[in-house]
Amino acid sequence: MAESEAQKLQLMQELEIEMMADMYNRLTTACHKKCIPPVYNDAEIAKGEAVCIDRCVAKFLDIHERIGKKLGQLSMQDEQLLKK
């Protein structure tokens, strides 16, 4: 593998890690804000809070996957248009 290809691969890997960390931070912030009250009344997470978090995370990841697929489709369409 050429050095420039290795550098591109390294950059892509770093960007992927950065994007995953950003997604995790946004997911954590959004679901915490939605499901956990600002004043903690108990040291443990209540069952309702746990269910809310579980649903919130599932929805967040589902939407993230759908958006990723749609952006991939749009990117492929753009590439095909540029080739014409």
Side-chain angles (χ1 to χ4, degrees):
M1 186 181 305
E3 187 174 328
S4 65
E5 288 180 31
Q7 288 175 340
K8 287 180 184 178
L9 181 60
Q10 177 70 25
L11 179 61
M12 288 176 54
Q13 291 171 340
E14 290 173 3
L15 287 173
E16 181 74 20
I17 290 170
E18 187 178 320
M19 289 181 349
M20 291 300 292
D22 179 60
M23 182 195 72
Y24 177 79
N25 287 333
R26 286 184 289 121
L27 177 146
T28 302
T29 301
C31 292
H32 185 273
K33 186 176 180 179
K34 180 179 179 181
C35 299
I36 307 295
V39 177
Y40 299 149
N41 296 324
D42 199 358
E44 301 292 322
I45 294 177
K47 184 173 182 172
E49 294 169 340
V51 170
C52 179
I53 289 170
D54 187 48
R55 288 180 180 161
C56 181
V57 169
K59 286 179 182 179
F60 194 98
L61 293 176
D62 181 50
I63 294 300
H64 187 265
E65 183 181 352
R66 288 182 189 190
I67 290 172
K69 286 180 181 177
K70 186 65 176 177
L71 289 175
Q73 290 173 350
L74 293 173
S75 177
M76 288 176 60
Q77 288 174 356
D78 286 347
E79 285 179 23
Q80 290 174 354
L81 288 174
L82 290 174
K83 289 180 182 178
K84 291 182 179 181

